[in-house]
Amino acid sequence: MNTLTLNNGVEMPALGLGVFQTPPEETRAAVEAALDTGYRHVDTAAAYGNEREVGQAIHASDVARDEVFIETKIWISDYGYDSTLHGFEKSAGKLGVDQIDLLILHQALPSKFEKTLEAYRALETLLEQGKVRAIGVSNFMVDHLTRLLEVAQVVPAVNQIEVHPYFQQREVQAFGTKHDILTQAWSPIGGITFYRDGEHRSTLEDPTIVEIAQAHSKSPAQVMLRWHLQQGRSVIPKSTKAHRIAENFDIVDFDLSGEQLAAIDALDTGKRGGPEPEDVTLEAFGRDIPEA
């Protein structure tokens, strides 16, 4: 699998396994299957409740620790300088590692943005101390990034946002490109369009995507992942099924044409599947993150 070079020179596998909403009891098997397939990048989060199982699978595998890129996220309940430093300790303890490859803030906290800025300053400290190799953010919009860059000492390496054919966030992506912030797509095959109630059809059944998939003898999911990679994004598709995990990895032996890329680009509806970033508050989304 190809790697992407982050803005601080760190190499990150372009494709990783996501474990959002993967129950802890299923996480270890999913990560083991991914590592056996060839994945070398796993994305988890403190709020997912499965960091411990991710760590167990990595340590139980035959793959050396330094060959696996571990990414996790600090939840909003642990924002603030000291709380975020402790949030790292909780995540590292559950993962069973001394160093995390990429540590990001899970959401902006617009109603208490000073706490967001303090949390990011803690990430900068962890980076300076060598406890993390790269830092970034998730679900940050242009205004959040603009305010962050006004005070940040380190430009985020990554902004992980919802991106799939039906919701492409081009303005956020363009801002990231301008400032050398890599866009990492969560729900890259549009899973959020079919595992939550929505107004549009499943991306897996979209006629344009299905037609392109048939032309390449690939699945719609493989076509969408290839679309992301050809446009320079990182992707973290989630699955708990070994055959799907393997299928999602099998995307390096074909290329989409310029016309096919443009056809997928044209599917954007502008409709977000996840929470509106401005609606994220401690009152609505706060939860205690257990100790390691």
Side-chain angles (χ1 to χ4, degrees):
M1 178 53 59
N2 294 338
T3 61
L4 296 166
T5 303
L6 303 182
N7 59 19
N8 66 347
V10 168
E11 295 284 322
M12 180 181 75
L15 182 145
L17 176 73
V19 294
F20 172 60
Q21 289 190 331
T22 302
E25 62 272 15
E26 297 179 26
T27 298
R28 181 165 176 167
V31 175
E32 288 174 347
L35 294 173
D36 287 345
T37 298
Y39 288 73
R40 294 296 180 264
H41 177 184
V42 182
D43 171 79
T44 182
Y48 296 171
N50 55 19
E51 288 175 307
R52 195 178 311 279
E53 289 73 21
V54 167
Q56 289 171 349
I58 291 171
H59 293 298
S61 76
D62 294 329
V63 181
R65 163 65 189 98
D66 62 3
E67 293 183 20
V68 183
F69 192 95
I70 300 176
E71 175 178 0
T72 193
K73 311 174 192 70
I74 301 288
W75 187 240
I76 58 174
S77 304
D78 283 337
Y79 282 9
Y81 185 77
D82 291 334
S83 295
T84 297
L85 291 178
H86 186 56
F88 162 81
E89 298 295 340
K90 289 193 282 189
S91 288
K94 291 169 188 170
L95 290 163
V97 299
D98 296 321
Q99 184 186 61
I100 291 171
D101 296 292
L102 175 60
L103 184 62
I104 65 180
L105 301 183
H106 205 141
Q107 300 272 357
L109 194 53
S111 62
K112 296 184 178 180
F113 203 72
E114 284 303 315
K115 289 181 75 70
T116 305
L117 296 179
E118 291 170 5
Y120 192 79
R121 186 164 62 87
L123 296 192
E124 293 177 326
T125 296
L126 293 165
L127 181 66
E128 183 180 4
Q129 293 174 343
K131 294 183 177 180
V132 299
R133 298 176 62 219
I135 60 176
V137 295
S138 180
N139 300 305
F140 272 49
M141 301 297 97
V142 170
D143 58 330
H144 305 140
L145 292 168
T146 300
R147 293 173 67 185
L148 176 63
L149 292 178
E150 288 173 353
V151 298
Q153 300 297 309
V154 177
V155 176
V158 166
N159 185 19
Q160 184 187 118
I161 57 175
E162 178 186 348
V163 182
H164 48 78
Y166 287 169
F167 188 61
Q168 299 176 29
Q169 303 211 72
R170 292 174 186 161
E171 182 184 8
V172 183
Q173 289 197 63
F175 187 92
T177 298
K178 179 180 178 181
H179 294 277
D180 203 13
I181 303 169
L182 177 70
T183 295
Q184 184 177 68
W186 65 258
S187 195
I189 61 174
I192 201 163
T193 69
F194 50 83
Y195 66 70
R196 291 183 182 175
D197 292 336
E199 298 178 19
H200 43 60
R201 80 181 89 202
S202 162
T203 49
L204 297 175
E205 299 170 355
D206 186 276
T208 297
I209 297 172
V210 169
E211 181 180 349
I212 294 171
Q214 291 172 343
H216 289 279
S217 298
K218 292 289 185 178
S219 72
Q222 288 171 316
V223 164
M224 285 184 272
L225 293 173
R226 189 68 200 163
W227 168 71
H228 285 290
L229 294 186
Q230 284 187 227
Q231 295 185 336
R233 289 183 290 278
S234 165
V235 288
I236 45 170
K238 169 261 178 89
S239 181
T240 59
K241 298 179 175 63
H243 71 284
R244 291 293 184 204
I245 290 170
E247 176 186 294
N248 290 342
F249 195 75
D250 184 23
I251 55 173
V252 298
D253 60 347
F254 72 107
D255 285 306
L256 303 177
S257 69
E259 289 184 357
Q260 290 171 334
L261 292 171
I264 298 174
D265 286 345
L267 300 176
D268 191 7
T269 67
K271 294 180 181 178
R272 185 185 303 277
E276 287 292 336
E278 293 302 313
D279 293 342
V280 175
T281 64
L282 284 170
E283 291 74 19
F285 290 91
R287 68 183 77 170
D288 289 334
I289 303 299
E291 297 294 327

